[in-house]
Every structure is written in C-alpha cells, then in structure tokens.
Amino acid sequence: MNIFRLAGDVSHVVAILLLVLKIWRSRSCAGISGKSQVLFAVVFTSRYLDLFTVYISAYNTIMKVVFLSLSYATVYLIYVRFRSTSTSEQDTFRVEFLLIPVVGLSFLENYAFTPLEILWTFSIFLEAVAIMPQLFLITNTGEAESITTHYLFFLGLYRALYLANWVWRYHTEGFFDQIAVVSGVVQTFFYCDFFYLYITRVLRGGGKMGLPMPI
C-alpha cells in the first residue's frame, strides 16, 4: 500500500464521519440527499459481497466493515431516526437515469462474466455517479451548510488521491485498472466545479455555500 491510497481511505472515512456527526449532533438531515446515501450503500454492498469469502489483509477487511457500517448507519439516520427533518421534497433526482446505464455498462464492460465480477464493476461505475443526487439537491436549494460542503470536499479529495494512487502504481508496479481509473476520472470531474466554489466561498467566506438557483 502506498501513501496516496492510505490518505485516500482516510479522507473517505473522514467524509462519512463528518456527515454522520453532522446529522447526529444537529438532529437533522436537512440538506443531505438520502438518494445519494442509498446509492453509496448499494455501492459498498455490491462491492464487498466477498467479505466473508475472500481475505486479503486485516486492513482490507476492517475497511470493508467500516464502509458498510457507516453507509447503512447514514441511511438509517436519514430514513428512520430523523426522517421528519429530511428535505425529500427537494431530493428529486431521477436515480433510474443512473442505474439503468450503470447496469448495462456492468454487463458489457467487465473483466470476467461472473456474478461477483459484474457486481464489482457495477459498484465502480455506480460510485462514479452516486454523488449526483447530492449535487442536484444543493443546486435545488441554492445553498449548502459548511459541514455538508466539508463532507463533499473530503469525498472529492478521496477520489483525487486515488487517482494519484493509480498513477503511482502504474509507474512502480506497471498496474493499470482501466475500469477503476476511467470511473475515478469521471467522478473527480463532477467535483471540479465544487472544489472551486468550496475554496472561494466556504474557506474564504465561511458559513454556507450559496449556489446559483436552477433556471
């Protein structure tokens, strides 16, 4: 394992913890897209079905358990514990527009036509676009609380660090995972505009991040 992957995993865990703590401390999930969190739970579930059948390392197993636990805890907080505080009326992104092409791509582009391999590929493709309902919700509401933007920043940082991890592995090991790299580039692209707004409006201005309202 190299420093880029480790830093990426840390950023990923920090992002989810920030979101869970935000919901728990404020007793509210306002401004959080439940649809995005369900998609992330589906991502981890389909990716880690080998949790009890394939052992790589203690670190790998622990991270699988952490991501599964945190993703389902977040979904529970949004749809059960603090359901009355959700902004479901504005969380209107049509997730079928993501799921249908992702499922299709998973069957067409994979490394082996087996159930676990197809589900792993599905999880990689889905993760690349799972954040779109959250970004769409922010656009609908016109602003985002600073803690929500911190969550998105660390989530984007995780993807950027994983891109560096893949570059490092290619130069040191000759390893290149086309599916993961292309999906990671697509996902990082979605965060580019957000990174600019985060730096110029949140870090410099503090408070909420205002966005242009949709036309």
Side-chain angles (χ1 to χ4, degrees), residues 123-193:
S123 76
I124 296 297
F125 288 148
L126 183 59
E127 186 180 16
V129 295
I131 197 61
M132 290 185 68
Q134 179 64 62
L135 298 177
F136 185 78
L137 176 60
I138 292 176
T139 302
N140 271 350
T141 58
E143 63 180 18
E145 294 182 9
S146 60
I147 192 67
T148 306
T149 59
H150 295 332
Y151 158 73
L152 290 172
F153 173 78
F154 278 102
L155 206 58
L157 180 61
Y158 141 67
R159 296 314 306 175
L161 287 167
Y162 255 64
L163 287 180
N165 161 63
W166 291 321
V167 172
W168 177 268
R169 293 193 64 183
Y170 178 74
H171 284 287
T172 59
E173 307 172 22
F175 175 82
F176 181 75
D177 187 332
Q178 180 179 336
I179 292 175
V181 171
V182 172
S183 298
V185 170
V186 170
Q187 186 175 359
T188 305
F189 174 78
F190 287 137
Y191 289 96
C192 287
D193 185 52

Side-chain angles (χ1 to χ4, degrees), residues 69-88:
S69 300
L70 288 178
S71 64
Y72 278 99
T74 305
V75 170
Y76 167 78
L77 291 176
I78 294 174
Y79 286 101
V80 180
R81 187 66 181 268
F82 303 116
R83 182 177 182 177
S84 62
T85 66
S86 69
T87 50
S88 57

